[in-house]
Amino acid sequence: MSMELLVASAIAVLTAGGIYLCLRARTFQVVLGLTFLSYAINVFLFAMGRLVVGSPPIWSKTATTYTDPLPQALVLTAIIITFGMTALVVTLALRSYLEIGSDQVDGVADTERDEDEAHRG
C-alpha cells in the first residue's frame, strides 16, 4: 500500500466521521465532529505541501532541494486555533447544559421531546 493511499484514506475516514458526528443532535458529538473535520483539513494541507524528507526547510545556495515551510506553519497555526475554538465551544456547551439541562443542539430536553411525541400520538 502506498503512502499516498494511506494518507488519502485517513483524510476520507476523518472527513466521513466528522460529517457523521456533526449531523448528530448532541453538542459533544458535534464538537467531536468539528474536531475530526479540522484534523482532516490539517492532514490535507500537510499532504498538499509535498513534504520532502531530509531536506532543509530554509533555502540556501548549497542545498539542492528544500522543504517549503509554509504548509507546516499553516497547519501549526490551524492546530492552535482549533484547540482554542474547541475549548471555547466545550465551555459554551457545558454552560448550556448546566443552564438548560440538556445537551441537545436545539436546546429541547429529552423529557420535553418525549412528552410532545406522547401528545401527538
Side-chain angles (χ1 to χ4, degrees):
M1 179 184 307
S2 67
M3 190 62 145
E4 290 85 8
L5 181 63
L6 183 65
V7 171
S9 299
I11 293 170
V13 168
L14 284 171
T15 303
I19 290 173
Y20 174 76
L21 288 173
C22 281
L23 295 176
R24 307 302 297 175
R26 303 219 180 247
T27 54
F28 180 72
Q29 294 171 344
V30 171
V31 170
L32 197 61
L34 290 174
T35 304
F36 279 3
L37 281 176
S38 70
Y39 284 141
I41 291 169
N42 288 341
V43 171
F44 177 73
L45 285 175
F46 197 71
M48 291 296 292
R50 297 180 185 225
L51 179 66
V52 179
V53 178
S55 296
I58 299 173
W59 184 80
S60 71
K61 291 182 180 179
T62 59
T64 56
T65 61
Y66 67 97
T67 301
D68 188 12
L70 185 61
Q72 289 90 0
L74 286 174
V75 169
L76 181 62
T77 304
I79 288 170
I80 293 169
I81 292 171
T82 301
F83 179 73
M85 289 301 297
T86 302
L88 176 68
V89 170
V90 167
T91 303
L92 290 175
L94 181 62
R95 179 69 180 186
S96 173
Y97 176 74
L98 293 175
E99 291 283 328
I100 299 173
S102 173
D103 63 343
Q104 295 287 328
V105 174
D106 57 0
V108 178
D110 290 337
T111 56
E112 293 176 20
R113 182 170 289 130
D114 292 339
E115 290 174 2
D116 288 342
E117 290 178 5
H119 289 292
R120 290 182 191 158

